[in-house]
Amino acid sequence: MLSSRPHTTMTTEYNGTTGVADPGYSANVQNLNIFYDTGNLTFLTISSVLVLLMIPGVGFFYSGLARRKSALQLVLLSMLSVGVIGFQWFFWGYSLTFSRTGNAFLGDLTQFGLMKTLAQPNGSSALPDILFCLYQGMFASITPALAIGAVADRGRMLPAIVFMFVWSTVVYDPIAYWTWNANGWLFKLPAYDFAGGGPVHIASGSCALAYSLMLGKRAGYSHNAGLPYRPHSVTNVVLGTVFLWVGWFGFNGGSALAMNLRAVMACYVTNLAASCAGITWALLDYRLERKWSTIGFCSGAITGLVAITPAAGFVTPWAAVIIGVVGAICCNFATKLKFLIGVDDALDIFAVHGIGGMVGNILTGIFGTSTIASLDGNAYDAIGWVQHHWVQLGYQLAGICAAFGWSFVLTCIILFLMNLVPGLSLRVSADDEDVGIDDCQLGEFAYDYVELRRHVADAVGSGSDRVASSSSSTAGEKAVPMGV
């Protein structure tokens, strides 16, 4: 027989030490689980996995846009970001970003090596320190993966790996601290950023712009109006988009830090903004060539996901439609910026993530509302222009300028200094660039038949054999896209 009584989950309010690093045993209970609802723990654990899924999605998306002979490098670098930042976050990244006793600009090392990091609430009363660390560690891992696509076709692997560790420590951790730590100056302002418009997207986009600038243009870029290569695998672009779109439910929904109506609304507006942005970008491309672009739709969907990220926990569904459409329009036209400033941003990372994050932060200041934010059960003051809180747009602009300026300038400085270190020169040689990054840096290839074709013309045989081989190879090349 079913009970007519409503089902409620009872948890005990945490009664241990708060405000300083403490593993939670000061609560003097045998079972530390009594302080947390299993549903919230499950939701944030699943959200962490979904954000992890996004990282190979970035790799596939970038790989599909790149040349075939440099495709595998971008998949590998995205996975290396998980490994490198996984260690960095454990080592000192989490402590620098979310310690409880830092100043207005950076945390301290009171939780170095995750010492005293276990069951005390952090980020939300619904989350223990260790789960909050797991979830935010995925954000820290995906951010360098977004930026490192700037090495496409010309960047060396070792410097890129070293850069990810250094950049995350010097750039990402401070910006995330300003934005999300209760002691951070942007948090106190407040500049609202629900899931990472500044720390993740503006920071990674401006980093990619700086990395592209410091690397220089790809060979052949200046002789072909900046468009020497077409994407080699549209299928990989679609696959990466699917991974990202699915994972973004954990990225934005999980940022409510509990399983509540605010998390559900964040998931809904995320999907809605991506849908509207994908259609908008596809229509913008259709007006030029009267053809429907798969890459255009995928690029637009990613743009919508980026733009809604800072706003997801603050805006209504109708506002999400506007954010998706405006984000797609702004980012679509922003892809032309690289021609104006003469920087070879091969994968348009700044146009999509940098500009998209800026648009999202600005529109949060316009459409953000306390009625949506309070769906998590807490009380909030008026947020955006729709509630006549006019000064909020200024606070949002302060966050944008801080994230862009810190990331761009510090990235240039880090790369300049690294390039002076023997063995850490940023760019491959001209010959290696011609051969392809996968061959010269990895010795592996995304597709087996590429290696097979590579050796056909080199086969030892009679003169007639070589002529025949060369002829067949040339004939085969005629059917291959420019991305080869």
Side-chain angles (χ1 to χ4, degrees), residues 17-57:
T17 302
T18 59
V20 296
D22 181 84
Y25 294 115
S26 59
N28 294 320
V29 297
Q30 289 184 333
N31 181 12
L32 291 170
N33 293 287
I34 65 173
F35 300 118
Y36 300 103
D37 174 61
T38 304
N40 290 330
L41 299 182
T42 302
F43 175 61
L44 262 295
T45 302
I46 293 173
S47 294
S48 302
V49 174
L50 288 172
V51 180
L52 175 62
L53 179 68
M54 295 171 68
I55 301 177

Side-chain angles (χ1 to χ4, degrees), residues 333-423:
F333 286 103
T335 59
K336 310 299 187 292
L337 285 175
K338 62 183 180 183
F339 305 122
L340 295 177
I341 61 179
V343 175
D344 183 12
D345 183 2
L347 307 179
D348 288 319
I349 301 171
F350 177 71
V352 172
H353 293 277
I355 299 299
M358 293 177 188
V359 170
N361 269 0
I362 290 172
L363 296 182
T364 300
I366 295 175
F367 297 112
T369 171
S370 58
T371 56
I372 298 298
S374 62
L375 289 175
D376 63 5
N378 297 310
Y380 293 84
D381 295 329
I383 295 176
W385 279 17
V386 294
Q387 293 184 308
H388 309 294
H389 189 234
W390 312 115
V391 74
Q392 189 59 49
L393 185 58
Y395 296 157
Q396 298 301 110
L397 290 172
I400 291 171
C401 293
F404 174 81
W406 185 265
S407 181
F408 184 83
V409 173
L410 267 294
T411 299
C412 289
I413 293 173
I414 292 168
L415 292 173
F416 176 78
L417 294 176
M418 283 180 55
N419 205 39
L420 299 177
V421 178

